[in-house]
């Protein structure tokens, strides 16, 4: 089986967006089959397509891959975005996991109960400016190169730039004191494949709004 990868998820960012970013940055065209109602998800579960009964799921190279990190690892390896040796890969993994930690907080923020939103936002701002972004700024400062690892574009750069866009949507001022990260964001955003993905009308999804949140809850039967 060949052809374009097929992404199975709802029409929103969630846990699929980092996969869309990585495929797009690798210059890989992909198709999407949106889960639009609970029955669509049931069908995937019942026909054995979802090993652990959950999405994201990506059909690629004759496989039905689930688990976000496994999918990202495969794409990064296949398209040479995973370093040149085991040490570079360890750094890429370490940086990617740090990105995922903060990204998870931002992704889950819309699900916070109204009474907890202010406290959650304060915590995200604090972790962003005092823990995560300084760490990545220091990596770039330490070696003076264009990219995080081996002076070559890797999945870590792509995940980080996606995160920087998410942070900017939350509060643009949070990037103010990180000139090297802003430079990385510009550099990666100007790569032709990424530039195309950032254009209106691409397969990049908009931030989660109230309507999208209700839609996701309905599809995934979240009370």
């Amino acid at each position: 089986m060949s052809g374009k990868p097929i992404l199975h998820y709802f029409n929103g960012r969630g846990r699929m967006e980092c996969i869309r970013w990585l495929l797009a940055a690798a210059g890989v065209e992909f198709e999407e089959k949106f889960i639009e109602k609970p029955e669509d998800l049931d069908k995937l579960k019942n026909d054995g397509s979802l090993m652990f009964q959950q999405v994201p799921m990506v059909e690629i190279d004759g496989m039905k891959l689930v688990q976000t990190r496994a999918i990202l690892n495969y794409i990064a390896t296949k398209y040479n975005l995973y370093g040149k040796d085991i040490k570079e890969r360890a750094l890429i993994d370490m940086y990617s996991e740090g990105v995922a930690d903060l990204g998870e907080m931002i992704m889950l923020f819309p699900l916070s109960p109204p009474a907890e939103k202010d406290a959650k936002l304060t915590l995200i701002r604090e972790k962003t400016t005092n823990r995560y972004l300084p760490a990545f700024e220091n990596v770039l400062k330490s070696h003076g190169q264009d990219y995080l690892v081996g002076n070559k574009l890797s999945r870590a750069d792509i995940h980080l730039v996606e995160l920087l866009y998410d942070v900017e949507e939350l509060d643009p001022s949070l990037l103010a004191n990180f000139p090297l990260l802003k430079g990385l964001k510009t550099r990666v955003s100007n790569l032709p494949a990424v530039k195309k993905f950032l254009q209106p009308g691409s397969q990049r999804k908009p931030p989660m709004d109230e309507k999208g949140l209700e839609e996701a809850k309905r599809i995934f039967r979240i009370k």
Side-chain angles (χ1 to χ4, degrees):
M1 179 183 159
S2 59
K4 299 176 185 177
I6 302 171
L7 281 50
H8 296 264
Y9 204 60
F10 78 103
N11 189 9
R13 287 185 182 177
R15 298 187 187 281
M16 185 67 92
E17 192 70 359
C18 56
I19 297 167
R20 297 182 185 110
W21 264 85
L22 193 58
L23 284 168
V28 179
E29 292 186 359
F30 57 88
E31 296 176 7
E32 300 192 84
K33 287 193 177 176
F34 294 125
I35 296 167
E36 296 175 331
K37 52 188 185 295
E39 293 74 21
D40 295 340
L41 188 58
D42 291 341
K43 184 175 185 303
L44 287 173
K45 289 178 181 178
N46 295 335
D47 71 12
S49 294
L50 305 179
M51 184 175 186
F52 302 114
Q53 308 291 304
Q54 59 196 23
V55 288
M57 188 269 280
V58 174
E59 294 185 63
I60 185 169
D61 296 340
M63 299 181 289
K64 293 183 177 180
L65 293 181
V66 295
Q67 297 294 4
T68 304
R69 284 174 175 79
I71 296 165
L72 293 171
N73 290 348
Y74 183 79
I75 294 165
T77 304
K78 177 169 180 169
Y79 295 105
N80 200 24
L81 294 166
Y82 219 164
K84 71 177 187 300
D85 57 32
I86 193 169
K87 285 189 175 180
E88 285 196 354
R89 184 169 176 161
L91 291 175
I92 290 166
D93 283 340
M94 185 167 71
Y95 302 157
S96 298
E97 290 298 319
V99 168
D101 285 349
L102 181 57
E104 181 92 354
M105 292 176 71
I106 293 172
M107 182 183 71
L108 295 177
F109 175 66
L111 294 169
S112 307
E116 296 176 15
K117 271 206 157 54
D118 286 349
K120 285 268 171 71
L121 187 56
T122 299
L123 181 64
I124 290 170
R125 284 194 176 112
E126 190 271 325
K127 298 259 193 213
T128 298
T129 53
N130 295 337
R131 179 181 296 188
Y132 291 101
L133 296 196
F136 291 120
E137 183 82 2
N138 287 338
V139 170
L140 292 171
K141 192 181 292 181
S142 71
H143 55 49
Q145 295 174 337
D146 284 348
Y147 296 108
L148 288 167
V149 179
N151 204 24
K152 183 175 183 288
L153 182 72
S154 76
R155 61 175 290 198
D157 302 295
I158 296 157
H159 297 327
L160 179 54
V161 168
E162 179 192 359
L163 178 70
L164 296 177
Y165 275 98
D166 292 346
V167 165
E168 207 170 45
E169 287 169 358
L170 206 62
D171 180 351
S173 72
L174 296 177
L175 296 185
N177 296 322
F178 303 101
L180 298 179
L181 290 181
K182 288 197 280 189
L184 178 71
K185 179 171 172 280
T186 300
R187 196 174 303 117
V188 172
S189 298
N190 282 328
L191 297 171
V194 178
K195 195 170 191 175
K196 183 180 175 187
F197 185 62
L198 291 169
Q199 296 301 313
S202 80
Q203 289 165 298
R204 185 181 177 221
K205 306 300 178 240
M208 179 72 82
D209 58 15
E210 201 59 45
K211 185 182 173 191
L213 185 59
E214 289 309 311
E215 184 73 359
K217 284 180 174 178
R218 181 183 66 78
I219 291 167
F220 296 110
R221 297 185 174 103
I222 299 169
K223 301 297 182 194

